[in-house]
Amino acid sequence: MQPQSAILDAIPDHARHLFFGLDPSADPRAALQALAAACDGKSAVLGIGVKVAGMLGVDLAGLRGFPVLPDARPPIPATQHALWLWLRGNEPGDLLLHGHALQAMAAPAFTLVQAIDSFRHRDSRDLTGYEDGTENPKDEAAVEAAIAQGQGRGIDGSSFAAVQQWLHDFPVFDALPRAQQNNCFGRDRDSNEELGDAPESAHVKRTAQEDFNPEAFVVRRSMPWVAGADAGLLFLAFGKSFDAFEAQLRRMTGHDDGISDALFHFTRPLTGGYYWCPPMAGNGVDLSALGV
């Protein structure tokens, strides 16, 4: 089975993220069938939350809600929704209209709760100027990290997405000396080279994927967002399960050794959700694992 191709494709110029709630009195099957046929996995990616599987009476291996981490410093919000659509393209207006069409298909079982527009900044940089996704695995390594395999039809080719909206405090960040900014990330902003003497709180040390046991590789597809005076990073990571992302998140928030990620000096997550992205079947998304 083939994955939804956007998971392994380069990030687009523009994207739109739509998050939906589920009416507990509605049968979601018709809406899911319509969305599965309409999502091509390239311009529109379909992600399923654990509540949908529960409503259908399916215990899908590996699918769970975003973790609640009471000991996290700082607090990490869990804002799990029932459904997530990731729309990708070159023109924001087209994405808006595409979203309207999919939203109509999702109704009345699913209701739009949040919409976030994101975009590529320069050569895939965060708005702080630092390159995002430097350590992304490539080619076969990316497939190994992001795509479920050997679990049977309907699961093979699927992926598990972690989505968080991060809000940056730009006055705080801009007030930091360049050396301290570099130490927050553990990289030099201009050269993108990793700092040999970076502190243990540096982001590259908190999330060094090969330092976990087992290794915690994910494929990141994060992009900046802007809404009025607010802006930050729409973090998106795909894995063959949620485990690698969760291991990184726990280390970032001090669960492993009491050291919190230095990024928290100037940015914090506003949202957090887990979504299962089924494989493709023919021209649409394969929902057979859900019995749909």
Side-chain angles (χ1 to χ4, degrees):
M1 301 295 289
Q2 294 298 313
Q4 297 188 61
S5 61
I7 294 167
L8 298 172
D9 290 343
I11 64 171
D13 289 336
H14 294 275
R16 184 169 173 83
H17 299 259
L18 303 179
F19 303 88
F20 294 82
L22 174 61
D23 182 344
S25 65
D27 187 333
R29 289 176 177 81
L32 288 171
Q33 289 170 347
L35 290 171
C39 290
D40 61 3
K42 184 174 181 64
S43 64
V45 170
L46 174 63
I48 306 293
V50 66
K51 186 175 182 179
V52 173
M55 178 77 79
L56 296 171
V58 175
D59 183 11
L60 197 148
L63 179 58
R64 57 183 184 267
F66 196 83
V68 176
L69 302 175
D71 296 326
R73 298 294 180 270
I76 302 297
T79 58
Q80 184 66 55
H81 296 301
L83 192 76
W84 164 66
L85 295 176
W86 180 33
L87 311 184
R88 301 157 38 91
N90 299 319
E91 207 282 315
D94 289 340
L95 295 182
L96 176 73
L97 298 177
H98 191 185
H100 286 171
L102 293 174
Q103 183 179 346
M105 293 179 192
F110 297 96
T111 303
L112 184 67
V113 175
Q114 186 179 25
I116 305 172
D117 292 308
S118 59
F119 55 92
R120 181 201 299 270
H121 175 52
R122 297 181 180 171
D123 53 344
S124 299
R125 291 182 182 261
D126 178 61
L127 294 173
T128 57
Y130 290 84
E131 186 175 315
D132 187 82
T134 300
E135 299 296 330
N136 262 343
K138 304 288 192 288
D139 303 323
E140 288 304 313
V143 174
E144 169 62 26
I147 307 302
Q149 303 176 71
Q151 299 183 44
R153 183 174 178 83
I155 302 296
D156 288 356
S158 68
S159 188
F160 294 82
V163 188
Q164 291 178 299
Q165 182 185 22
W166 288 70
L167 175 66
H168 293 352
D169 189 329
F170 287 97
V172 168
F173 177 78
D174 293 340
L176 297 174
R178 173 63 69 85
Q180 192 170 345
Q181 292 176 349
N182 286 344
N183 279 337
C184 286
F185 287 89
R187 293 187 179 276
D188 179 79
R189 185 165 72 184
D190 296 329
S191 70
N192 199 38
E193 292 182 3
E194 190 168 332
L195 305 178
D197 59 350
E200 288 301 314
S201 61
H203 184 60
V204 297
K205 291 196 173 182
R206 295 289 88 198
T207 59
Q209 299 173 107
E210 65 280 0
D211 287 352
F212 292 85
N213 186 18
E215 294 180 332
F217 284 95
V218 296
V219 173
R220 292 175 55 144
R221 293 291 182 255
S222 307
M223 298 170 70
W225 64 272
V226 173
D230 294 331
L233 186 72
L234 200 296
F235 176 87
L236 172 58
F238 291 97
K240 58 188 175 184
S241 74
F242 296 125
D243 294 349
F245 165 78
E246 206 160 303
Q248 291 190 33
L249 182 63
R250 290 180 64 84
R251 183 174 290 177
M252 287 178 65
T253 53
H255 282 78
D256 287 1
D257 53 14
I259 301 173
S260 294
D261 198 303
L263 293 189
F264 290 120
H265 289 324
F266 65 88
T267 188
R268 60 186 176 89
L270 303 177
T271 68
Y274 277 168
Y275 303 94
W276 176 64
C277 301
M280 297 298 295
N283 295 322
V285 176
D286 180 10
L287 297 180
S288 61
L290 296 175
V292 175

